[in-house]
Amino acid sequence: MTTCRSPLARLCHALLLALACCLSGVAVADGKLLVVTENSSWLSTIDAQGNVAGRNTQLVKDILAHAGLKADIQVLPWARAYRMAATRPNTLIYSIARTSTREKQFVWLGPLGHMQRIFYRLSSETTVAPQSLEQVKSCCKVCVGNHDVQEEFLIKAGFVQNSQFLTTNSQQECPRLLLSGAAQLLIADPEQLRSQLARLKLPDEQFQPVLSMPQGEELYLAANPQSDPAIVRAITEAMRQLKVH
């Protein structure tokens, strides 16, 4: 049996189908699991083939695979990655330091590694030799990444932005800012700095550690607190089974 419809009825039917498809697409996009990180060279980076790579990246990929989850991993400037993870449900972020300021902003799924906190100077700047944080305040300007844990560390220690420290879009810009004279110190993990200098094609011996803090930071995989509890449980269980703690 053939059903006849008026042109207006057929048009309305087509519009309703199109609207349903659009709404369905939005729902799928909104529920998609997203993982964000920064281009930090040593833990997460873009390889020659354009793929997200790095030590912690592989660890996160293994965790997701073990949990039976698929995700879109994006490398972004740290401040943007942080903002997305703090505001978008079903978003994970790594490698993020767990601090008291950030504690309630995320669900902390588990640690991926440890980062040392060491102040570095140019090896040629022998007069830059602080022996304490108070001496750093009075002698130097420190370069840190915007929204980076090192910026938070300096603010808690009483440093004043622009006069005692400056921020950049990426902590990887700091070696160049020391070379330009805009700052006298940067803060980095030794492995982190080595990888940054390799990328910038600068020799390791051009930078020298001058002050080491006794405690560093644990770097975590974390989730937006409004994320699907099933996703959080699956990842937590995968990390437990893989002994990523």
Side-chain angles (χ1 to χ4, degrees):
M1 179 178 177
T2 303
T3 302
C4 295
R5 294 180 181 173
S6 70
L8 180 59
R10 287 198 297 272
L11 177 60
C12 290
H13 182 69
L15 289 173
L16 287 173
L17 286 176
L19 179 60
C21 289
C22 289
L23 291 176
S24 176
V26 170
V28 170
D30 285 349
K32 186 176 182 180
L33 181 59
L34 176 66
V35 183
V36 293
T37 187
E38 68 173 334
N39 193 345
S40 64
S41 299
W42 61 312
L43 298 175
S44 52
T45 187
I46 302 294
D47 64 20
Q49 289 72 45
N51 300 314
V52 186
R55 187 179 72 198
N56 279 6
T57 297
Q58 188 56 54
L59 193 54
V60 169
K61 287 180 178 180
D62 291 344
I63 292 166
L64 293 174
H66 197 82
L69 297 170
K70 293 184 179 180
D72 177 23
I73 301 179
Q74 295 185 11
V75 175
L76 305 168
W78 180 251
R80 184 181 172 194
Y82 186 98
R83 184 168 58 251
M84 287 182 69
T87 58
R88 182 188 183 279
N90 295 333
T91 301
L92 311 180
I93 185 170
Y94 73 100
S95 307
I96 181 170
R98 185 173 185 173
T99 67
S100 57
T101 302
R102 298 171 172 177
E103 184 66 29
K104 294 182 179 179
Q105 290 184 290
F106 301 97
V107 175
W108 300 92
L109 302 172
L112 301 174
H114 183 79
M115 178 179 67
Q116 296 183 60
R117 178 176 285 126
I118 299 176
F119 287 83
Y120 285 86
R121 71 179 184 195
L122 289 175
S123 299
S124 58
E125 298 292 340
T126 56
T127 57
V128 178
Q131 299 301 305
S132 67
L133 279 179
E134 288 304 312
Q135 289 184 16
V136 171
K137 287 181 185 179
S138 60
C139 80
C140 310
K141 185 176 288 186
V142 186
C143 180
V144 293
N146 185 26
H147 271 73
D148 188 87
V149 66
Q150 311 301 1
E151 179 186 18
E152 186 176 321
F153 168 75
L154 292 180
I155 292 172
K156 284 186 176 181
F159 283 68
V160 178
Q161 188 170 1
N162 297 325
S163 63
Q164 293 171 321
F165 75 91
L166 59 84
T167 62
T168 67
N169 288 333
S170 172
Q171 202 270 345
Q172 294 183 79
E173 299 174 24
C174 287
R176 290 196 186 280
L177 289 176
L178 263 66
L179 288 169
S180 72
Q184 292 73 50
L185 295 170
L186 61 81
I187 308 174
D189 178 277
E191 185 180 349
Q192 177 187 22
L193 182 60
R194 280 194 296 271
S195 66
Q196 290 175 356
L197 295 179
R199 172 172 293 188
L200 295 170
K201 298 182 179 179
L202 295 172
D204 291 357
E205 57 270 18
Q206 199 163 3
F207 293 81
Q208 185 177 57
V210 290
L211 180 63
S212 178
M213 297 290 97
Q215 292 183 334
E217 299 286 350
E218 291 293 328
L219 300 177
Y220 276 73
L221 174 63
N224 178 280
Q226 300 303 315
S227 297
D228 186 340
I231 291 175
V232 172
R233 287 194 300 269
I235 293 174
T236 303
E237 179 60 17
M239 295 186 77
R240 186 190 67 79
Q241 293 181 6
L242 292 173
K243 300 181 179 178
V244 188
H245 290 292

